[in-house]
Amino acid sequence: MIKFSDLNLDPKVLKAIIDTGYETPTPIQAGAIPPALEGRDVLGIAQTGTGKTASFTLPMITLLGRGRARARMPRSLVLAPTRELAAQVAENFDAYAKYTKLTKALLIGGTSFKEQDQLIDKGVDVLIATPGRLIDHFERGKLILSDVKIMVVDEADRMLDMGFIPDIERIFQMTPFTRQTLFFSATMAPEIERITNTFLSNPAKVEVARAATTGENIKQGVVMFEASSKARGEDEKRDLLIRLIDAEGDACSNAIIFCNRKSDVDVVAKALKKNGKNAEAIHGDLEQSHRTRTLDGFRDGSIRFLVASDVAARGLDIPAVTHVLNFDVPSHAEDYVHRIGRTGRAGRTGTAIMICSTRDEKNLADVERLVQNPIPRLDNPLSRATPPTTTSPVDDVDASREDRPRRSRTRGPRKAVPDVDTGADATAPVDVAAPVAEPVVAVIDMAPVMAEVAAPQPDAIVPDRQPRDAQQRDGGSRSDRPARGPDRTAERSSPERRERDTTPHRGRDHQRGGHDNVIGMGADTPEFIAKSFAERSTS
Ligand code: AMP
């Protein structure tokens, strides 16, 4: 078995690794570190959770140890698609470089240019940035990229998904032709392949096999919800969420609660707080400092419930999340896989429970088609008609499906339901005092799903060459960038657009017409899984 000490890393880096407690390199580390240390370009095909951050950070620190920082001319550059991911890379860098004198600057939106400028002026070894903020600094003349020796692109498929590929190409062109490039993507969509063919030179390709059983340790279930009236629908849905959380009891140490709309994120967080629950909201419209505080609080356990939008929570490495609660069925089925992948990480078990309003049934069908399994129906604790407890294990799914309220049976074929319509059926009895049924969830084998979500889908890719609306970058803050002409094509395909989209069905159908994006596997792979796969390394 390969050891870190076999990899030719700087002794200071090895010392820092010992401090982290890592015993052996993960496959992506064992595969990527040696060619990176030889100065070769590396094309790493790996998801978050496989240890890929260290696979580029460790050799980078080792290689940079040999030179010195110069004012305004960073020697290396790491690009990450979101602020949170960039901040995560920065944290990793701090941990692994702690015995060196190397310096870094984190260039992300939502923080002041001034402080970042000061750091750049002083000279830093490593710049960790989101593409939009980096281009801003460059355009302000504050940054010279002609001394970049190592450039890392992390989560390239997510960059594609977010419309950043034109920015990445631009940044490649700003850096010297002779640079070393370490390029990571969970999938190799054709557009990503094109970029790597253009900008990488004879890369060592290191591919970590996809998780075979990623979802096996995640129990899943869905509660069908039909409001008593349109007016009461939203209140009742939040009430249902609270009941579901309460029913989980102590098993639910912490949870991420996903909402499709930012507006709901705030309202749901408020409702949970009002109910005495320790909850905070996180979405792209919040100040960066606030987002960072909230995430830190969730990580350290001082916040128990994180109510989040898809964009804000994607890719985050928070190992011990016991529950994912989907307040809505995501309007893009792939997001379901990303969402539930927040739990059951690093060898732990997890529970994913979803609420499906009548109007979301079509989205649920899309999710089930994607996961190639019905998601077991759970009792609705608010419904008088529901028996107190029934089990709905996977084996019994067909039977349990029969029990669920189906709009189509009572109302004929389903038509597009306007977003304002809660799909309420005034005849559905609601008894808020009904006993809380124990949610019973079942495990679904997600192996084929994970492969499908991660697999490139050539006909579903939008080559996005337009500069993206600058204000959409970095997942949020709109005040810190000079205005540029918005590009609707890019915006339409971005997850942030989805987050704002209040007409999920239309958005989905529209995208089906060939405008879907390939979405990376993100952080959906528990790190332990990576260890059981042998890497493939070709040169
Ligand atoms: P990443 O894929 O970079 O997001 O890493 C996922 C998780 O794996 C992080 O929590 C890392 O701290 C952890 N990790 C990285 N390398 C190793 C290793 N060699 N052994 C154990 N854990 C690791």
Side-chain angles (χ1 to χ4, degrees), residues 70-148:
R70 290 163 63 188
R72 288 201 205 169
M73 297 174 81
R75 295 189 293 145
S76 67
L77 178 59
V78 182
L79 295 171
T82 65
R83 298 171 183 181
E84 279 76 12
L85 288 170
Q88 234 165 249
V89 173
E91 267 174 38
N92 275 258
F93 174 84
D94 287 344
Y96 305 139
K98 68 180 185 184
Y99 295 115
T100 73
K101 292 205 169 87
L102 296 177
T103 54
K104 64 133 210 298
L106 179 61
L107 306 189
I108 53 176
T111 48
S112 95
F113 273 104
K114 203 170 151 209
E115 269 172 43
Q116 297 176 356
D117 281 345
Q118 281 167 355
L119 281 173
I120 295 170
D121 282 347
K122 255 172 52 189
V124 291
D125 299 292
V126 183
L127 269 191
I128 301 163
T130 49
R133 188 44 88 103
L134 183 91
I135 289 177
D136 282 348
H137 277 278
F138 187 81
E139 284 174 350
R140 287 154 48 104
K142 294 284 181 187
L143 192 57
I144 302 164
L145 296 177
S146 57
D147 201 32
V148 168

Coordinates of all heavy atoms in Angstrom, one line a residue, residues 70-148:
R70 N 6.0 37.2 -5.1 CA 6.3 38.6 -5.6 C 5.0 39.4 -5.6 O 4.0 38.9 -5.8 CB 6.9 38.5 -7.0 CG 8.3 37.9 -7.0 CD 8.7 37.5 -8.4 NE 8.8 38.6 -9.3 CZ 9.0 38.5 -10.6 NH1 9.1 37.4 -11.1 NH2 9.0 39.6 -11.3
A71 N 5.2 40.7 -5.3 CA 4.0 41.6 -5.2 C 3.2 41.5 -6.5 O 3.7 41.5 -7.6 CB 4.5 43.0 -5.0
R72 N 1.9 41.3 -6.2 CA 0.9 41.3 -7.3 C 1.0 40.2 -8.3 O 0.3 40.1 -9.3 CB 0.9 42.6 -8.1 CG 0.3 43.7 -7.3 CD -0.1 44.8 -8.3 NE -0.1 46.1 -7.6 CZ -0.2 47.2 -8.3 NH1 -0.3 47.2 -9.6 NH2 -0.2 48.3 -7.6
M73 N 2.0 39.3 -8.1 CA 2.2 38.2 -9.1 C 2.2 36.9 -8.4 O 3.2 36.3 -8.1 CB 3.6 38.4 -9.8 CG 3.6 39.7 -10.6 SD 5.3 40.0 -11.2 CE 5.3 39.0 -12.6
P74 N 1.0 36.4 -8.1 CA 0.9 35.1 -7.5 C 1.5 34.0 -8.3 O 1.6 34.1 -9.6 CB -0.6 34.9 -7.4 CG -1.2 35.7 -8.4 CD -0.3 36.9 -8.6
R75 N 2.0 33.0 -7.6 CA 2.7 31.9 -8.4 C 1.8 30.7 -8.6 O 2.1 29.8 -9.4 CB 3.9 31.4 -7.5 CG 4.9 32.5 -7.4 CD 6.2 32.0 -6.8 NE 6.0 31.6 -5.4 CZ 6.5 30.6 -4.8 NH1 7.4 29.8 -5.5 NH2 6.3 30.3 -3.5
S76 N 0.6 30.7 -8.0 CA -0.3 29.7 -8.3 C -1.7 30.2 -8.1 O -2.0 31.1 -7.4 CB -0.1 28.4 -7.4 OG -0.3 28.8 -6.1
L77 N -2.6 29.5 -8.8 CA -4.0 29.9 -8.8 C -4.9 28.7 -8.7 O -4.7 27.7 -9.4 CB -4.2 30.6 -10.2 CG -5.5 31.1 -10.6 CD1 -6.0 32.2 -9.6 CD2 -5.4 31.8 -12.0
V78 N -5.9 28.8 -7.8 CA -6.9 27.7 -7.7 C -8.2 28.3 -8.0 O -8.6 29.3 -7.3 CB -6.9 27.1 -6.3 CG1 -7.9 25.9 -6.3 CG2 -5.5 26.6 -5.9
L79 N -8.9 27.8 -8.9 CA -10.3 28.3 -9.3 C -11.3 27.3 -8.8 O -11.3 26.1 -9.1 CB -10.4 28.5 -10.8 CG -9.5 29.5 -11.4 CD1 -9.6 29.5 -12.9 CD2 -9.9 30.9 -10.9
A80 N -12.3 27.8 -8.0 CA -13.4 27.0 -7.6 C -14.7 27.6 -7.9 O -14.8 28.9 -8.0 CB -13.3 26.8 -6.1
P81 N -15.8 26.9 -8.2 CA -17.0 27.5 -8.7 C -17.8 28.3 -7.7 O -18.4 29.3 -8.1 CB -17.8 26.3 -9.1 CG -17.3 25.1 -8.4 CD -15.8 25.4 -8.2
T82 N -17.7 28.0 -6.4 CA -18.5 28.8 -5.5 C -17.6 29.3 -4.4 O -16.5 28.8 -4.1 CB -19.7 28.0 -4.9 OG1 -19.1 27.0 -4.1 CG2 -20.6 27.4 -5.9
R83 N -18.2 30.3 -3.7 CA -17.4 30.9 -2.6 C -17.1 29.9 -1.5 O -16.0 29.8 -1.0 CB -18.3 32.0 -1.9 CG -18.6 33.1 -2.8 CD -19.6 34.0 -2.1 NE -20.0 35.1 -3.0 CZ -20.9 36.0 -2.6 NH1 -21.4 36.0 -1.4 NH2 -21.2 37.0 -3.4
E84 N -18.1 29.1 -1.2 CA -17.9 28.1 -0.2 C -16.9 27.1 -0.5 O -16.1 26.7 0.3 CB -19.3 27.4 0.2 CG -20.2 28.2 1.1 CD -20.9 29.3 0.3 OE1 -20.9 29.4 -0.9 OE2 -21.5 30.2 1.0
L85 N -16.9 26.7 -1.8 CA -15.9 25.7 -2.2 C -14.5 26.3 -2.2 O -13.5 25.7 -1.8 CB -16.2 25.1 -3.6 CG -17.4 24.1 -3.5 CD1 -17.8 23.8 -4.9 CD2 -17.1 22.9 -2.8
A86 N -14.4 27.6 -2.6 CA -13.1 28.2 -2.6 C -12.6 28.4 -1.1 O -11.5 28.1 -0.8 CB -13.2 29.6 -3.2
A87 N -13.6 28.7 -0.2 CA -13.2 28.8 1.2 C -12.7 27.5 1.7 O -11.8 27.4 2.6 CB -14.4 29.4 2.0
Q88 N -13.4 26.4 1.3 CA -13.0 25.1 1.7 C -11.6 24.7 1.3 O -10.8 24.2 2.0 CB -14.0 24.0 1.1 CG -14.6 23.1 2.2 CD -15.8 22.4 1.6 OE1 -16.9 22.7 1.9 NE2 -15.5 21.5 0.7
V89 N -11.3 25.1 0.0 CA -9.9 24.9 -0.5 C -8.9 25.7 0.4 O -7.8 25.2 0.8 CB -9.8 25.3 -2.0 CG1 -8.3 25.2 -2.4 CG2 -10.6 24.4 -2.8
A90 N -9.3 26.9 0.7 CA -8.4 27.8 1.5 C -8.1 27.1 2.9 O -7.0 27.1 3.4 CB -9.0 29.1 1.7
E91 N -9.2 26.6 3.5 CA -9.0 25.9 4.8 C -8.1 24.7 4.6 O -7.2 24.5 5.5 CB -10.4 25.3 5.2 CG -11.1 26.3 6.1 CD -12.5 25.7 6.4 OE1 -12.6 24.4 6.6 OE2 -13.5 26.4 6.4
N92 N -8.2 24.0 3.6 CA -7.3 22.8 3.3 C -5.9 23.3 3.2 O -5.0 22.8 3.8 CB -7.7 22.1 2.1 CG -8.8 21.1 2.3 OD1 -8.5 19.9 2.4 ND2 -10.0 21.5 2.4
F93 N -5.7 24.4 2.4 CA -4.4 24.9 2.2 C -3.8 25.3 3.5 O -2.6 25.0 3.8 CB -4.4 26.2 1.3 CG -3.1 26.9 1.1 CD1 -2.2 26.4 0.2 CD2 -2.8 28.0 1.9 CE1 -1.0 27.0 0.1 CE2 -1.6 28.6 1.8 CZ -0.7 28.1 0.9
D94 N -4.5 26.0 4.4 CA -4.0 26.5 5.7 C -3.6 25.2 6.5 O -2.5 25.3 7.2 CB -5.1 27.2 6.5 CG -5.3 28.6 5.9 OD1 -4.5 29.1 5.1 OD2 -6.4 29.2 6.2
A95 N -4.4 24.2 6.4 CA -4.0 23.0 7.3 C -2.7 22.4 6.7 O -1.8 22.0 7.5 CB -5.1 22.0 7.2
Y96 N -2.6 22.2 5.4 CA -1.5 21.5 4.9 C -0.2 22.3 4.8 O 0.9 21.8 4.7 CB -1.8 20.9 3.5 CG -3.0 20.1 3.4 CD1 -3.9 20.2 2.3 CD2 -3.3 19.2 4.4 CE1 -5.1 19.4 2.3 CE2 -4.5 18.4 4.4 CZ -5.4 18.5 3.3 OH -6.5 17.8 3.2
A97 N -0.4 23.7 4.8 CA 0.8 24.5 4.6 C 1.2 25.2 5.9 O 2.1 26.1 5.9 CB 0.5 25.7 3.6
K98 N 0.7 24.6 7.0 CA 0.9 25.3 8.3 C 2.4 25.3 8.7 O 2.8 26.2 9.5 CB 0.0 24.8 9.4 CG 0.3 23.4 9.8 CD -0.7 23.0 10.9 CE -0.4 21.7 11.5 NZ -1.4 21.3 12.5
Y99 N 3.2 24.4 8.3 CA 4.6 24.4 8.7 C 5.5 25.1 7.6 O 6.7 25.0 7.7 CB 5.1 23.0 8.9 CG 4.4 22.4 10.1 CD1 3.6 21.2 9.9 CD2 4.6 22.9 11.4 CE1 2.9 20.7 11.0 CE2 3.9 22.3 12.5 CZ 3.1 21.2 12.3 OH 2.5 20.6 13.4
T100 N 4.8 25.7 6.6 CA 5.6 26.4 5.6 C 5.4 27.9 5.8 O 4.5 28.3 6.6 CB 5.2 26.0 4.2 OG1 3.9 26.6 3.9 CG2 5.1 24.5 4.0
K101 N 6.1 28.7 5.0 CA 5.9 30.2 5.1 C 5.0 30.7 3.9 O 4.9 31.9 3.6 CB 7.2 30.9 5.0 CG 8.1 30.6 6.2 CD 9.1 31.8 6.4 CE 9.8 31.7 7.7 NZ 11.0 30.9 7.7
L102 N 4.4 29.7 3.2 CA 3.6 30.1 2.0 C 2.4 31.0 2.4 O 1.8 30.7 3.5 CB 3.1 28.9 1.3 CG 4.3 28.1 0.6 CD1 3.7 26.8 0.0 CD2 5.1 28.9 -0.4
T103 N 2.0 31.9 1.6 CA 0.9 32.8 1.9 C -0.2 32.5 0.8 O 0.1 32.1 -0.3 CB 1.3 34.2 1.9 OG1 1.9 34.5 0.6 CG2 2.2 34.6 3.0
K104 N -1.4 32.9 1.2 CA -2.5 32.7 0.3 C -3.5 33.9 0.4 O -3.5 34.7 1.4 CB -3.3 31.5 0.5 CG -4.0 31.4 1.9 CD -5.4 31.0 1.8 CE -6.3 31.6 2.9 NZ -6.0 31.3 4.3
A105 N -4.2 34.1 -0.7 CA -5.3 35.1 -0.6 C -6.6 34.4 -1.2 O -6.5 33.7 -2.2 CB -5.0 36.3 -1.4
L106 N -7.7 34.7 -0.5 CA -8.9 34.1 -1.0 C -9.7 35.2 -1.7 O -10.1 36.2 -1.0 CB -9.7 33.5 0.2 CG -11.0 32.9 0.0 CD1 -10.9 31.7 -0.9 CD2 -11.6 32.5 1.4
L107 N -9.9 35.1 -3.0 CA -10.6 36.1 -3.7 C -12.0 35.6 -4.0 O -12.2 34.9 -5.0 CB -9.9 36.5 -5.0 CG -8.4 36.8 -4.9 CD1 -8.0 37.4 -6.3 CD2 -8.2 37.9 -3.9
I108 N -13.0 36.0 -3.2 CA -14.4 35.6 -3.5 C -15.3 36.8 -3.3 O -14.9 37.8 -2.6 CB -14.8 34.5 -2.5 CG1 -14.6 34.9 -1.1 CG2 -14.1 33.2 -2.8 CD1 -15.1 33.8 -0.1
G109 N -16.4 36.7 -4.0 CA -17.4 37.8 -3.9 C -17.9 37.9 -2.4 O -17.7 37.0 -1.6
G110 N -18.5 39.0 -2.1 CA -19.1 39.2 -0.8 C -18.2 39.6 0.2 O -18.5 39.8 1.4
T111 N -16.9 39.8 -0.1 CA -15.9 40.3 0.8 C -15.3 41.5 0.2 O -15.3 41.6 -1.1 CB -14.8 39.3 1.2 OG1 -14.4 38.7 0.0 CG2 -15.4 38.2 2.1
S112 N -14.6 42.4 0.9 CA -14.2 43.7 0.4 C -13.0 43.5 -0.6 O -12.1 42.7 -0.3 CB -13.9 44.7 1.5 OG -12.5 44.6 1.8
F113 N -13.0 44.3 -1.6 CA -11.9 44.3 -2.6 C -10.7 44.8 -1.9 O -9.6 44.3 -2.2 CB -12.2 45.2 -3.8 CG -13.0 44.5 -4.9 CD1 -14.3 44.7 -5.1 CD2 -12.3 43.7 -5.7 CE1 -15.0 44.1 -6.1 CE2 -13.0 43.1 -6.8 CZ -14.3 43.3 -7.0
K114 N -10.9 45.7 -1.0 CA -9.7 46.4 -0.4 C -8.8 45.5 0.3 O -7.6 45.5 0.0 CB -10.2 47.5 0.6 CG -9.3 48.6 0.8 CD -9.9 49.7 1.6 CE -8.8 50.4 2.4 NZ -9.3 51.0 3.6
E115 N -9.4 44.7 1.2 CA -8.5 43.7 1.9 C -7.8 42.8 1.0 O -6.6 42.4 1.1 CB -9.4 42.9 2.8 CG -9.6 43.5 4.2 CD -10.6 42.7 5.0 OE1 -10.6 41.4 4.9 OE2 -11.5 43.3 5.6
Q116 N -8.6 42.3 0.0 CA -8.0 41.4 -1.0 C -6.8 42.0 -1.8 O -5.8 41.4 -2.0 CB -9.1 40.8 -1.9 CG -10.1 40.1 -1.2 CD -11.3 39.6 -2.1 OE1 -11.4 39.9 -3.2 NE2 -12.2 38.9 -1.5
D117 N -7.1 43.3 -2.1 CA -6.0 44.1 -2.9 C -4.8 44.2 -2.0 O -3.7 44.0 -2.6 CB -6.5 45.5 -3.2 CG -7.5 45.5 -4.4 OD1 -7.5 44.5 -5.1 OD2 -8.2 46.5 -4.6
Q118 N -5.0 44.5 -0.8 CA -3.8 44.6 0.1 C -2.9 43.3 0.1 O -1.7 43.4 0.1 CB -4.2 45.0 1.5 CG -4.6 46.4 1.7 CD -5.4 46.7 3.0 OE1 -5.7 45.8 3.7 NE2 -5.6 48.0 3.2
L119 N -3.6 42.2 0.2 CA -2.9 40.9 0.3 C -2.2 40.7 -1.1 O -1.0 40.4 -1.1 CB -3.9 39.8 0.5 CG -4.4 39.5 1.9 CD1 -5.5 38.5 1.8 CD2 -3.2 39.0 2.7
I120 N -2.9 41.0 -2.1 CA -2.2 40.8 -3.5 C -1.0 41.7 -3.6 O 0.0 41.3 -4.1 CB -3.3 41.1 -4.6 CG1 -4.4 40.1 -4.5 CG2 -2.6 41.0 -6.0 CD1 -5.6 40.4 -5.5
D121 N -1.2 43.0 -3.2 CA -0.1 43.9 -3.3 C 1.2 43.4 -2.5 O 2.3 43.6 -3.0 CB -0.5 45.3 -2.7 CG -1.4 46.1 -3.7 OD1 -1.4 45.6 -4.8 OD2 -2.0 47.0 -3.3
K122 N 0.9 42.9 -1.4 CA 2.0 42.4 -0.6 C 2.7 41.2 -1.2 O 3.9 41.0 -1.0 CB 1.5 41.9 0.8 CG 1.8 42.9 1.9 CD 1.2 42.6 3.2 CE 1.4 41.2 3.8 NZ 0.5 41.0 5.0
G123 N 2.0 40.5 -2.0 CA 2.5 39.3 -2.7 C 2.1 38.0 -2.0 O 2.3 37.8 -0.8
V124 N 1.4 37.2 -2.7 CA 1.0 35.9 -2.2 C 1.4 34.8 -3.1 O 1.6 34.9 -4.3 CB -0.6 35.8 -2.0 CG1 -1.1 36.7 -0.9 CG2 -1.3 36.0 -3.3
D125 N 1.6 33.6 -2.5 CA 2.0 32.5 -3.3 C 0.8 31.8 -4.0 O 1.0 31.4 -5.1 CB 2.7 31.4 -2.3 CG 3.9 32.0 -1.6 OD1 4.9 32.2 -2.3 OD2 3.9 32.2 -0.4
V126 N -0.3 31.8 -3.3 CA -1.4 31.1 -3.8 C -2.7 32.0 -3.8 O -3.0 32.6 -2.8 CB -1.8 29.8 -2.9 CG1 -2.9 29.0 -3.5 CG2 -0.5 28.9 -2.8
L127 N -3.3 32.0 -4.9 CA -4.6 32.7 -5.0 C -5.7 31.7 -5.1 O -5.6 30.8 -6.0 CB -4.7 33.6 -6.3 CG -4.2 35.0 -6.3 CD1 -4.6 35.7 -7.6 CD2 -4.8 35.7 -5.1
I128 N -6.6 31.7 -4.3 CA -7.8 30.8 -4.4 C -9.0 31.7 -4.7 O -9.3 32.6 -3.9 CB -7.9 30.0 -3.1 CG1 -6.7 29.3 -2.8 CG2 -9.1 29.1 -3.2 CD1 -6.5 28.8 -1.3
A129 N -9.6 31.4 -5.8 CA -10.6 32.4 -6.3 C -11.8 31.7 -7.0 O -11.7 30.6 -7.5 CB -10.0 33.4 -7.2
T130 N -12.9 32.5 -7.0 CA -14.0 32.1 -7.9 C -13.7 32.9 -9.2 O -13.1 34.0 -9.1 CB -15.4 32.5 -7.3 OG1 -15.3 33.9 -6.8 CG2 -15.8 31.7 -6.1
P131 N -14.1 32.4 -10.3 CA -13.7 33.0 -11.6 C -14.1 34.4 -11.7 O -13.3 35.3 -12.2 CB -14.4 32.1 -12.6 CG -14.8 30.8 -12.0 CD -14.9 31.1 -10.5
G132 N -15.4 34.8 -11.3 CA -15.8 36.1 -11.5 C -15.0 37.1 -10.7 O -14.6 38.2 -11.2
R133 N -14.7 36.8 -9.5 CA -13.9 37.7 -8.6 C -12.5 37.9 -9.1 O -11.9 38.9 -9.1 CB -14.0 37.2 -7.2 CG -13.4 38.2 -6.1 CD -13.8 39.6 -6.3 NE -15.0 40.0 -5.7 CZ -15.1 40.7 -4.5 NH1 -14.0 41.1 -3.9 NH2 -16.3 41.1 -4.1
L134 N -12.0 36.8 -9.6 CA -10.6 36.9 -10.1 C -10.5 37.8 -11.3 O -9.7 38.7 -11.4 CB -10.1 35.5 -10.5 CG -8.6 35.5 -11.0 CD1 -7.7 35.3 -9.8 CD2 -8.4 34.6 -12.1
I135 N -11.5 37.7 -12.2 CA -11.5 38.5 -13.4 C -11.7 40.0 -13.0 O -11.1 40.9 -13.6 CB -12.6 38.0 -14.4 CG1 -12.1 36.7 -15.0 CG2 -12.9 39.0 -15.5 CD1 -13.1 36.0 -16.0
D136 N -12.5 40.2 -12.0 CA -12.7 41.6 -11.5 C -11.4 42.2 -11.1 O -11.0 43.3 -11.5 CB -13.6 41.6 -10.3 CG -15.1 41.5 -10.7 OD1 -15.4 41.6 -11.9 OD2 -15.9 41.2 -9.9
H137 N -10.6 41.4 -10.3 CA -9.3 41.9 -9.8 C -8.4 42.2 -11.0 O -7.7 43.2 -11.0 CB -8.7 40.9 -8.9 CG -9.2 41.0 -7.5 ND1 -8.7 42.0 -6.6 CD2 -10.1 40.4 -6.8 CE1 -9.3 41.8 -5.4 NE2 -10.2 40.9 -5.5
F138 N -8.4 41.3 -11.9 CA -7.6 41.4 -13.1 C -7.9 42.7 -13.9 O -7.1 43.5 -14.3 CB -7.7 40.2 -14.0 CG -6.7 40.1 -15.1 CD1 -5.4 39.7 -14.9 CD2 -7.1 40.5 -16.4 CE1 -4.5 39.7 -15.9 CE2 -6.2 40.5 -17.4 CZ -4.9 40.0 -17.2
E139 N -9.3 42.8 -14.1 CA -9.7 44.0 -14.9 C -9.4 45.3 -14.2 O -9.3 46.3 -14.8 CB -11.2 43.9 -15.2 CG -11.5 42.8 -16.3 CD -13.0 42.6 -16.5 OE1 -13.8 43.1 -15.7 OE2 -13.3 41.9 -17.5
R140 N -9.4 45.3 -12.9 CA -9.0 46.5 -12.1 C -7.5 46.8 -12.1 O -7.1 47.7 -11.5 CB -9.5 46.4 -10.7 CG -11.0 46.5 -10.6 CD -11.5 45.7 -9.3 NE -10.8 46.1 -8.1 CZ -11.2 46.9 -7.2 NH1 -12.4 47.4 -7.2 NH2 -10.4 47.1 -6.1
G141 N -6.8 45.9 -12.8 CA -5.4 46.1 -12.9 C -4.6 45.8 -11.7 O -3.4 46.2 -11.6
K142 N -5.2 45.1 -10.8 CA -4.5 44.8 -9.5 C -3.8 43.5 -9.5 O -3.1 43.2 -8.5 CB -5.6 44.8 -8.4 CG -6.3 46.1 -8.2 CD -5.4 47.0 -7.4 CE -6.1 48.3 -7.2 NZ -5.2 49.3 -6.6
L143 N -3.9 42.8 -10.5 CA -3.4 41.5 -10.5 C -2.6 41.1 -11.8 O -3.1 41.5 -12.9 CB -4.6 40.5 -10.4 CG -4.4 39.1 -10.0 CD1 -3.7 38.9 -8.7 CD2 -5.8 38.4 -9.9
I144 N -1.5 40.5 -11.6 CA -0.7 40.1 -12.8 C -0.6 38.6 -12.8 O -0.1 38.1 -11.8 CB 0.7 40.8 -12.8 CG1 0.5 42.3 -12.8 CG2 1.5 40.4 -14.1 CD1 1.7 43.1 -12.4
L145 N -1.0 38.0 -13.8 CA -1.0 36.5 -13.8 C 0.1 35.9 -14.6 O 0.1 34.7 -14.8 CB -2.4 36.0 -14.3 CG -3.6 36.4 -13.4 CD1 -4.9 35.9 -14.0 CD2 -3.4 35.8 -12.0
S146 N 1.0 36.7 -15.0 CA 2.1 36.2 -15.9 C 3.1 35.4 -15.1 O 4.0 34.8 -15.8 CB 2.8 37.4 -16.6 OG 3.3 38.3 -15.6
D147 N 3.0 35.3 -13.8 CA 4.0 34.5 -13.1 C 3.4 33.2 -12.5 O 4.0 32.5 -11.7 CB 4.6 35.4 -11.9 CG 5.9 34.8 -11.4 OD1 6.7 34.2 -12.3 OD2 6.2 34.9 -10.2
V148 N 2.1 33.0 -13.0 CA 1.5 31.8 -12.5 C 2.2 30.5 -13.0 O 2.2 30.3 -14.2 CB 0.0 31.8 -12.9 CG1 -0.7 30.4 -12.6 CG2 -0.8 32.9 -12.1

